[in-house]
Structures are given as structure tokens and as C-alpha cells.
Amino acid sequence: MLAEERLILYGYNFMNGVNMEKNIDALFSRIIDTYCELRNINKLPGIDITLTDNIYSECLQKNLDCFKESIENQKEWVNSLNGTIIYPENRLEKFGILINLSYIKKCFEENNINWIGTLCHELTHVLDYIRAMELRDINFIEEFTKEDDYHLFGY
């Protein structure tokens, strides 16, 4: 199955030339569903997963200002990440997960599934934010960043 998924990742089924981009989305969806099932999570807000070759630029473009400031001078480090999350204004809105395209391609080329661990790792961050905010009855992430114990989530 990895060989077929590798073809899907690159965007095409080379056997018949049909674009298969939706199949990688279906694969991500199955992984998220399994993750939630194993952890007895009934519902997550929608999650947008983006494969990118420039995590830093995506973070600056899509993240809240309070997070942009924390990465402004860390382009090399941010781009070396395998994945990270994009925060919505409100915990009930869609979070984003960015996956490093070079990393995921390398995983497929080496026939390993480490990228699944990366996706699950980023899902764990999303859930940590949601649950911590629920416990504090906070809806807005920027408000949460002002909490005394926020630093536990900031890295």
C-alpha cells in the first residue's frame, strides 16, 4: 500500500494518469478518525492539513499575530520542523496542521510511516489546546496565551 500512497502523494496515479490528490486527503482523514477513536474523542473541530515546502511562510501567512511574533526571527528553525499547527482565533474553529512536504516525501521514498507519527503529534497539540481552554472556559486563543501556565503549551 505504501507504494500506491507514494504515487498518490506526488499527485498522480502514474498507471492511468488520473490526478489522485483527494486520496491523500482521504488517508489523512482515516488517520484522524482512527486517532480520535483510539482516544475516545467524539468530535474535533475541522482540521485543515497542508503539505508545504515552506512552513515558515505558511505560519506567517496563516497564524494569529501573537504567534507570528514568536517565530519572526526563526525562519531556519521553523522550516526544519516536520510539522506544526496553525491556530484559529476561537477554539471552536478549524485548526490547521502544516506538514513539511520534503519530510513527507522522504518518508514515502524510504517506505516508512514516521509521517503518521508527525500527524498524530500535531493532533495531540491541537487537542491539548482545546482541552486546556475548555477547562478554563476560554474560547479565544489569544486570551489563553495570557494565562500564567500558558508557557506549558507554548513550545
Side-chain angles (χ1 to χ4, degrees):
M1 189 157 165
L2 272 179
E4 179 184 340
E5 290 166 0
R6 183 181 319 120
L7 295 176
I8 292 167
L9 177 68
Y10 288 104
Y12 297 94
N13 177 335
F14 294 110
M15 303 293 259
N16 61 20
V18 175
N19 189 326
M20 301 292 284
E21 287 178 33
K22 290 185 179 182
N23 286 358
I24 193 71
D25 291 335
L27 181 59
F28 287 149
S29 186
R30 285 195 314 257
I31 292 166
I32 292 169
D33 289 347
T34 301
Y35 177 93
C36 291
E37 183 180 322
L38 291 171
R39 285 162 181 75
N40 293 320
I41 298 165
N42 292 327
K43 187 178 178 187
L44 278 174
I47 296 178
D48 288 324
I49 300 173
T50 303
L51 300 176
T52 180
D53 57 2
N54 194 330
I55 288 180
Y56 180 79
S57 291
E58 291 281 339
C59 283
L60 288 180
Q61 179 184 7
K62 295 179 179 178
N63 246 331
L64 300 174
D65 288 342
C66 61
F67 294 105
K68 290 177 185 178
E69 294 167 9
S70 68
I71 65 163
E72 276 181 334
N73 297 315
Q74 300 184 50
K75 182 176 183 176
E76 189 174 317
W77 175 75
V78 172
N79 275 331
S80 73
L81 298 173
N82 294 333
T84 192
I85 61 176
I86 298 293
Y87 307 86
E89 282 188 39
N90 185 305
R91 70 175 166 86
L92 302 174
E93 296 171 352
K94 280 187 179 184
F95 278 76
I97 294 179
L98 302 177
I99 303 289
N100 187 316
L101 182 59
S102 297
Y103 166 73
I104 201 168
K105 281 182 179 179
K106 183 179 177 185
C107 288
F108 275 78
E109 288 167 1
E110 295 174 355
N111 285 324
N112 74 52
I113 58 171
N114 293 345
W115 63 274
I116 295 173
T118 299
L119 178 57
C120 291
H121 174 92
E122 300 308 330
L123 282 170
T124 300
H125 285 304
V126 169
L127 288 171
D128 285 348
Y129 271 92
I130 292 170
R131 288 180 175 158
M133 292 173 66
E134 283 174 348
L135 288 171
R136 290 164 179 81
D137 198 27
I138 296 173
N139 283 328
F140 294 94
I141 292 187
E142 198 155 346
E143 182 182 343
F144 181 56
T145 63
K146 297 173 183 161
E147 291 287 300
D148 290 337
D149 59 353
Y150 167 75
H151 66 278
L152 297 172
F153 296 89
Y155 299 100

